[in-house]
Amino acid sequence: MAGHREYDAVDTNELLRMLRSEIFAAQLKVVLDQKLGRETSPTVKKLAAMTMPSI
């Protein structure tokens, strides 16, 4: 996962865009781990299973 990112806590759209990006990255990691025969952490699996928020 990516490191700590700064965001404007007041800007809901920015927060939702960032959450969508993190969910997408987790989904990609799950797929790549499966293809490469690697174990994916439970945290990444939970994030990947989240529903994408609409912006």
Side-chain angles (χ1 to χ4, degrees), residues 3-39:
H4 177 74
R5 294 185 182 155
E6 295 296 323
Y7 62 91
D8 182 357
V10 179
D11 188 352
T12 305
N13 286 334
E14 181 180 353
L15 184 61
L16 290 175
R17 281 192 303 272
M18 192 157 87
L19 179 57
R20 287 175 60 89
S21 176
E22 292 296 325
I23 292 170
F24 180 71
Q27 291 171 343
L28 179 60
K29 179 161 177 42
V30 168
V31 170
L32 288 174
D33 284 349
Q34 286 174 349
K35 288 187 181 268
L36 296 173
R38 298 187 303 206
E39 184 67 28

